Amino acid sequence: MAGSWPFAGRAAELAEIRSAGAGLVVVGAPGVGKSRLVAQAVGGLDDVAWVRATAAAAELPLGAFGPLLPSTPPAGNPLGWAADAVRAPVLVVDDAHLLDAASAALVHHLVARGRTRVIATLRTETPVPDAVRALWKDDLLPRMELAPLTVEETGRVLERALGGRVEPGTVTRLWHASRGNALYLRELVLAGMLADSGGVWRWRGPLSITPSLRDTIAGRVGELTPDEREVLELLAYGEPLGADLLSSLASAAAVERLEDRQLVTVELEGRRLQVRLGHPLYGEVIRHGCGTLRARKLLRKLADAVAASGLRRREDVLRVAVWRLDSGAASDPELLLAACDLARMVRDLELAERLARAAGDGFRARLALGSILFYADRYAESEEAFAAASALAREDSSRTDCATTRAFNLFWGLGRVEEALELMTAIDRSITDADARQGARSTRSSLEVFAGDLEAARASLRAAAAMGPSTHPRNVLASGTTEAVILAAEGRATECLETVARTEAALDRAPNALPSLRAAILEAASEAALFLGDLAAAERYAEQGRGLDGEFGAWAKAIIYFGTRKAQALRLRGSITDALGWCREAIARLPERSVWAGLCLGELAHAHAMLGEVEAAEEAIALAERRGLPLGPPVVVPVEQAKVWTLAARGDISGAVSTALAAAERALPAQVPFLLHDVVRLGRPAQVAARLTGEGPLVALFAEHAAARTGPDLDAVSAGFERLGLIVHAAEAAAQAARRHRHEGLTRAARAAETRAWALARRCQGARTPALLDLDVPDLTPRQREVALLAAQGLTNREIAARLVVSIRTVANTLYAVYEKTGVSDRAALADLLG
């Protein structure tokens, strides 16, 4: 952790404290950050007196003020004497609820007198001396309730504390564990559960807390009667519990006492009163104090009670199965498999695997285990489980389910494309059930489209449809999803989004979550939105897909794929360094070999190249080629496009253009316009102008860019890109317009376009594409550019002369020419100009 625990956020609260002329009373829960907030607010003031109240000091009159008072009090008015002794214009009273009566009266007197600005902190729901309470009751000082940190504030604090990006799932998990309590958050980080993975901090392993945090929480819980402890133990293992159920298992009076002490909360959810622990970490401390036998007894008690109620809710199935498993009493494979399905749907893969393994070695258990291991990116183990399940499959539906999920693992997990396709062909020929055959053909179609064979994918989907309407709801959803994926790949974006809307509506009505189909439909939607140039919609779909990773980021594929799509939209916006952050988060979840390596590492390389960071781009490309499975255009073309811009950053424009044209020959129709437009951006529009066709405003703008012949034409293209939010493209077109205007002798128009290009480029987080490089140092000779770069780095004329083996006078004359051409007059301005 870098330095001391940082302060972040709380801007509104800081402003409120600093603007409170007479002072303020800050009230909040223990550890929420009251003292740190006040310290931050008064940190810039010259003369601040601090009083820190304690229970020990409260034994003596004015005990908290002892350090500020003379050693001998006068015989007269002690209150006036003490008030006169407090000379600082600002007084901070920390933990004012612990003040003795005399100290509390002094604080009140100081506020009422009006010569001292008093800022006091209090603990929520704690008895307060009457004189302190009167501060806000009598409107002497405003009272501010300090809430816990939000999820966003928690993320900012963590990034500052750790000195790097923190995975969103980790932020969410830490916020859930700490509930925004700054003290608890700090202790959880100190417990060592976080690890740096490629520049992204991630949660690793089970929750653990430091001994000091355990002691702090135990002190907050305090002394418990046996019936109160039983209530807390039941909640520690089973929360939330219905109030009626909990009262049937333990003392209702004890529940009421614990609610009064804020150790439990009781809230109405729907038509049920639900009881929870007052803070999630109370459960860690309570469970730590339970022995193994005691814990098993509690778990069996909970399982028996909820099972006796009839398992009316779906989550009851999962909870009872887990309780029985943890208590050593799991004996019902059907219950375990039902719970396994629920855990898998919410992508709690670790729990789903435990349940599947506990369910035995039957077909359904092996099939479930294979699917879970596939989602967990453990592909070789998944294949072993599927092979075992296949040997046990008897009915057509079972054989199809096994073949379908096994083909996914063979294709996307192990990269064994032909084997996966052959498996789908074999199962289609060997079964007679119509629904099963339709499902197999739809699956084959989804594999073929990823492999880039759109004609075969269309044929497989038509063959499935030709068998008539399916009676299996999942087949209908899968067919709609595959249709949307094909349409997106074909560049028929509007039709794709219409299909997405229909299929999403059907998915919303489905009885199960079906996250895999939901992910596929969002993949198609994000691609279609990008094709249309609707970056806001593309980001929205990516964020929805990113949310499928489960509550705490268990499903890596959702993080990798949709995080990369988010990065792509950000890059197109010109937010290139932000895009790098999203790419790194995706890469941190990549297994050693992955089909998605080409997608996310290609995007990482692309962003690096756009920043002129050639070595980083080349390293990412090499890593993509080592770790990727080049199964088809969706994951091959991103690497090829990254090569285009890496070559361009090296100055090899001809090589970049050749690479883009070659990649366009192998790309999906939806990818082709972007590659052809890269050629336009690199200054060779005539080579592709006739080929730039397609649906939507973005492709139309690409074509308009390729056809632009005059400065005004390029000005219009730049404005069009800006309207769509493609800021790098807008800056490049404006720079091209400036050069065209200048060539046409229109000096004023050239300057206007150049100014616009500058303004746009500065919104692009350091983008340095070939079209923008001329903006850095317009019309410089190679020698002038070389001298300018060295001067911008702070080298003196003598140092530059020594490095280039020229005279100091030559350097001075060259710099003079540089200043004349660029319009700047010193090294600092030159450094700013060159970024």
Side-chain angles (χ1 to χ4, degrees):
M1 190 186 311
S4 61
W5 191 252
F7 183 91
R10 306 287 202 191
E13 292 87 346
L14 280 172
E16 186 175 350
I17 295 172
R18 288 167 175 166
S19 64
L24 191 79
V25 178
V26 182
V27 185
V32 77
K34 303 181 295 295
S35 302
R36 183 66 185 277
L37 173 66
V38 172
Q40 193 76 16
V42 303
L45 303 179
D46 293 332
D47 193 1
V48 179
W50 279 79
V51 169
R52 291 179 171 85
T54 65
E59 298 293 325
L60 301 172
L62 297 175
F65 280 84
L68 302 181
L69 303 178
S71 57
T72 305
N77 178 10
L79 196 62
W81 161 78
D84 290 339
V86 180
R87 300 182 184 278
V90 178
L91 174 68
V92 176
V93 183
D94 204 14
D95 287 338
H97 53 282
L98 296 176
L99 289 173
D100 61 274
S103 295
L106 175 57
V107 171
H108 188 279
H109 178 70
L110 289 167
V111 173
R113 192 173 65 169
R115 299 177 188 172
T116 307
R117 182 181 172 207
V118 177
I119 302 170
T121 70
L122 297 175
R123 183 173 293 182
T124 305
E125 302 294 335
T126 301
V128 178
D130 291 341
V132 174
R133 183 179 294 105
L135 294 177
W136 67 86
K137 289 192 68 176
D138 295 345
D139 293 326
L140 295 174
L141 292 181
R143 171 180 166 133
M144 181 178 77
E145 298 285 345
L146 186 61
L149 297 170
T150 64
V151 176
E152 292 75 19
E153 289 171 332
T154 298
R156 288 197 292 271
V157 169
L158 288 169
E159 290 196 354
R160 289 190 60 185
L162 296 165
R165 187 178 180 88
V166 184
E167 187 181 57
T170 294
V171 174
T172 301
R173 192 168 183 180
L174 283 167
W175 182 85
H176 274 282
S178 67
R179 281 292 189 265
N181 184 293
L183 172 63
Y184 293 176
L185 179 65
R186 178 179 184 275
E187 292 293 326
L188 286 169
V189 172
L190 290 174
M193 296 173 299
L194 304 187
D196 186 352
S197 177
V200 179
W201 288 89
R202 291 179 54 205
W203 182 301
R204 296 282 178 85
L207 174 67
S208 62
I209 59 178
T210 60
S212 62
L213 180 54
R214 185 175 290 112
D215 291 343
T216 298
I217 295 170
R220 171 72 183 93
V221 172
E223 296 295 324
L224 299 169
T225 63
D227 56 349
E228 290 171 343
R229 174 164 289 280
E230 183 179 30
V231 170
L232 293 182
E233 287 173 343
L234 288 166
L235 288 170
Y237 286 101
E239 70 172 338
L241 294 174
D244 292 340
L245 176 65
L246 184 58
S247 295
S248 72
L249 296 172
S251 165
V255 177
E256 293 176 13
R257 293 196 301 272
L258 291 169
E259 184 183 15
D260 290 340
R261 293 170 59 184
Q262 297 184 29
L263 294 178
V264 304
T265 62
V266 182
E267 297 176 354
L268 185 65
E269 296 181 7
R271 293 178 295 176
R272 295 165 59 94
L273 278 176
Q274 296 279 43
V275 186
R276 288 181 169 84
L277 293 170
H279 194 282
L281 292 179
Y282 294 171
E284 289 297 313
V285 173
I286 296 297
R287 288 190 294 271
H288 185 263
C290 278
T292 301
L293 295 179
R294 173 69 176 163
R296 288 191 167 200
K297 179 180 177 181
L298 290 164
L299 290 165
R300 284 194 294 270
K301 188 173 184 179
L302 287 164
D304 291 343
V306 174
S309 69
L311 301 178
R312 291 188 296 270
R313 297 182 302 170
R314 293 178 65 197
E315 57 264 35
D316 288 343
V317 173
L318 181 56
R319 299 169 78 200
V320 169
V322 173
W323 289 334
R324 296 218 185 280
L325 184 60
D326 290 343
S327 69
S331 59
D332 183 355
E334 291 301 317
L335 176 66
L336 291 168
L337 286 170
C340 173
D341 287 341
L342 293 172
R344 187 179 63 211
M345 286 175 191
V346 297
R347 290 304 188 251
D348 189 340
L349 301 179
E350 184 177 339
L351 176 57
E353 181 183 352
R354 285 185 60 214
L355 292 163
R357 292 190 185 280
D361 294 321
F363 168 75
R364 289 178 57 206
R366 297 295 94 189
L367 180 62
L369 181 61
S371 297
I372 294 160
L373 293 171
F374 167 63
Y375 293 130
D377 301 320
R378 293 156 60 185
Y379 306 122
E381 295 174 74
S382 175
E383 171 58 14
E384 291 178 6
F386 282 133
S390 180
L392 299 171
R394 297 293 179 265
E395 298 83 9
D396 282 359
S397 58
S398 299
R399 294 170 61 206
T400 305
D401 287 345
C402 185
T404 298
T405 48
R406 188 179 186 182
F408 287 160
N409 186 62
L410 288 168
F411 188 97
W412 279 295
L414 298 173
R416 289 149 61 174
V417 176
E418 293 305 320
E419 192 173 343
L421 293 173
E422 288 169 5
L423 178 62
M424 298 317 301
T425 299
I427 200 69
D428 184 37
R429 290 173 178 169
S430 64
I431 58 178
T432 57
D433 182 83
D435 281 330
R437 294 185 70 198
Q438 278 188 320
R441 290 178 177 181
S442 180
T443 297
R444 182 184 179 93
S445 178
S446 67
L447 302 181
E448 289 166 336
V449 67
F450 196 92
D453 193 343
L454 298 188
E455 185 177 346
R458 274 277 171 217
S460 295
L461 200 59
R462 283 196 299 269
M467 298 178 69
S470 176
T471 60
H472 197 297
R474 185 182 175 91
N475 280 356
V476 176
L477 294 170
S479 177
T481 300
T482 304
E483 173 69 18
V485 170
I486 295 174
L487 288 167
E490 291 173 335
R492 295 159 64 185
T494 303
E495 290 178 74
C496 172
L497 292 175
E498 291 169 354
T499 304
V500 164
R502 291 194 301 271
T503 308
E504 275 195 313
L507 278 168
D508 290 340
R509 296 190 297 270
N512 296 319
L514 302 174
S516 295
L517 288 179
R518 181 78 66 176
I521 203 70
L522 290 171
E523 288 172 24
S526 65
E527 291 178 33
L530 282 171
F531 190 83
L532 293 173
D534 189 346
L535 300 185
E539 289 189 66
R540 185 174 66 251
Y541 290 126
E543 286 159 6
Q544 290 174 12
R546 178 65 176 73
L548 296 172
D549 62 348
E551 188 175 17
F552 301 127
W555 192 18
K557 190 254 183 169
I559 297 170
I560 294 167
Y561 183 89
F562 291 106
T564 303
R565 286 297 180 200
K566 172 80 171 181
Q568 185 179 7
L570 288 169
R571 171 176 55 77
L572 290 169
R573 284 193 186 281
S575 301
I576 301 174
T577 56
D578 292 342
L580 286 174
W582 281 88
C583 286
R584 292 190 184 106
E585 180 191 320
I587 292 161
R589 301 304 298 269
L590 273 179
E592 187 57 33
R593 288 277 288 170
S594 172
V595 66
W596 305 112
L599 181 69
C600 61
L601 284 164
E603 184 59 38
L604 179 75
H606 195 152
H608 276 306
M610 296 284 285
L611 294 172
E613 298 168 353
V614 178
E615 290 78 9
E618 290 174 342
E619 182 180 338
I621 290 169
L623 193 59
E625 291 175 340
R626 286 199 307 271
R627 296 179 60 180
L629 297 173
L631 305 186
V635 292
V636 171
V637 168
V639 179
E640 293 302 304
Q641 194 170 23
K643 290 178 181 177
V644 170
W645 289 99
T646 303
L647 288 167
R650 281 285 186 202
D652 184 2
I653 302 300
S654 295
V657 168
S658 297
T659 301
L661 293 173
E665 296 301 318
R666 300 187 294 271
L668 293 169
Q671 297 171 315
V672 170
F674 292 89
L675 289 160
L676 296 180
H677 185 248
D678 284 349
V679 176
V680 179
R681 294 169 64 194
L682 292 170
R684 308 287 176 83
Q687 292 185 237
V688 297
R691 297 171 58 189
L692 264 169
T693 59
E695 173 192 3
L698 182 57
V699 178
L701 198 54
F702 287 170
E704 186 179 339
H705 192 185
R709 294 292 179 267
T710 68
D713 289 343
L714 288 166
D715 285 332
V717 168
S718 177
F721 280 130
E722 187 178 14
R723 282 193 298 273
L724 289 177
L726 281 77
I727 305 303
V728 174
H729 293 60
E732 290 174 335
Q736 291 171 342
R739 288 192 292 274
R740 194 66 57 84
H741 283 306
R742 193 175 291 111
H743 179 74
E744 295 165 355
L746 302 173
T747 304
R748 180 173 295 180
R751 287 176 180 169
E754 194 167 57
T755 300
R756 172 180 165 75
W758 267 102
L760 290 165
R762 287 181 178 274
R763 293 164 56 188
C764 296
Q765 298 183 340
R768 294 178 58 81
T769 66
L772 300 179
L773 284 178
D774 285 346
L775 289 176
D776 291 343
V777 191
D779 301 321
L780 295 186
T781 67
R783 173 62 81 184
Q784 289 170 342
R785 184 183 295 273
E786 189 174 28
V787 170
L789 287 169
L790 293 172
Q793 295 174 49
L795 275 69
T796 65
N797 286 7
R798 183 178 299 277
E799 290 168 334
I800 296 171
R803 181 171 296 190
L804 300 181
V805 196
V806 297
S807 71
I808 297 174
R809 179 178 295 276
T810 297
V811 173
N813 290 338
T814 304
L815 267 180
Y816 179 79
V818 168
Y819 292 152
E820 283 290 307
K821 287 186 176 182
T822 60
V824 302
S825 58
D826 56 37
R827 279 171 163 77
L830 193 60
D832 184 60
L833 182 75
L834 297 174

